[in-house]
Amino acid sequence: TLSSTNDITVLAPAPADPFDAPPLNSIIRETPDEIAALGRRSVVGTVIAVWRGNRVLVKTEEYDGASASGLVRLELTRDARLPQPGMFIRAVGRPATDHYRLNLVSARWQAFPGTPTAETPPRATDVRQLLQDDNGRSVIQTRWHGRAVRIHGTVRRVSGADDAKSFH
C-alpha cells in the first residue's frame, strides 16, 4: 500500500497525444501474457455494435468478411462516453485476447476523419450455422462475428438488465 503520493515514481511521461499508439494489427500473434505486456495500441474503424454499457465492436480496414480477423472488441474505461454504431473512430487501449481476436481493454475513443465502412444488409441464417461446424459439433463460428444476421424462431424468455437483454 501507498502511504502518500510521494511513494509514486513516474517512469515515463504521458504522450503529448494520448491517441498516439502503434496499431493493434502490427502485433504478431503471441501468448495472452505477451499480448497484455505490449503496452498501448490503437485501431481505426467503423463502430458496428455497442452493448453492456462499455463494449464496442469495431470493424477495421483489415476485416476480411469471412472470419473474426479485423474485428476488435473495445472495453471502454468507466468514464468514457459511448460511440454510436456507424461512427468512424480511433481507439487506444491495452491489448488483450478472447481466443478469437485481439481486443483493447481500458480503451478510450475519439471521432476520426474518414469514411465508415458501408453497412451490409442482414443475412438470413439459422442457429445451426452460427453454433455448429460442418459435422454438427457445437462450436462458435467466428466467420459470423461482426455480421448482421436475421434468424427466425420463438422467443421463450428474455433476461438481463435493460442495457444487456438476452433472448432465449
Side-chain angles (χ1 to χ4, degrees), residues 7-98:
D7 294 338
I8 299 172
T9 303
V10 176
L11 300 177
D17 177 359
F19 288 92
D20 183 23
L24 183 66
N25 65 3
S26 68
I27 296 174
I28 296 172
R29 301 290 172 152
E30 305 286 347
T31 68
D33 289 340
E34 290 169 327
I35 290 169
L38 288 171
R40 297 170 46 252
R41 295 287 190 231
S42 64
V43 295
V44 173
T46 303
V47 174
I48 58 173
V50 178
W51 74 101
R52 285 200 184 156
N54 74 334
R55 304 292 201 292
V56 177
L57 191 60
V58 175
K59 183 187 301 185
T60 69
E61 294 295 319
E62 290 77 30
Y63 182 62
D64 63 12
S67 70
S69 177
L71 294 174
V72 178
R73 182 178 53 82
L74 307 177
E75 186 175 313
L76 300 177
T77 60
R78 290 183 185 176
D79 61 339
R81 69 192 193 289
L82 291 175
Q84 296 298 309
M87 290 180 74
F88 198 68
I89 67 168
R90 175 171 57 174
V92 172
R94 291 187 345 263
T97 182
D98 63 6

Side-chain angles (χ1 to χ4, degrees), residues 120-127 129-130 144 147-152:
T120 55
R123 183 169 165 193
T125 187
D126 67 45
V127 174
Q129 289 182 310
L130 302 174
W144 291 93
R147 294 174 145 187
V149 298
R150 180 178 293 121
I151 58 174
H152 178 79

Side-chain angles (χ1 to χ4, degrees), residues 92-110:
V92 172
R94 291 187 345 263
T97 182
D98 63 6
H99 304 294
Y100 298 108
R101 63 185 162 266
L102 291 171
N103 304 302
L104 293 177
V105 297
S106 299
R108 295 189 174 276
W109 68 274
Q110 66 180 178

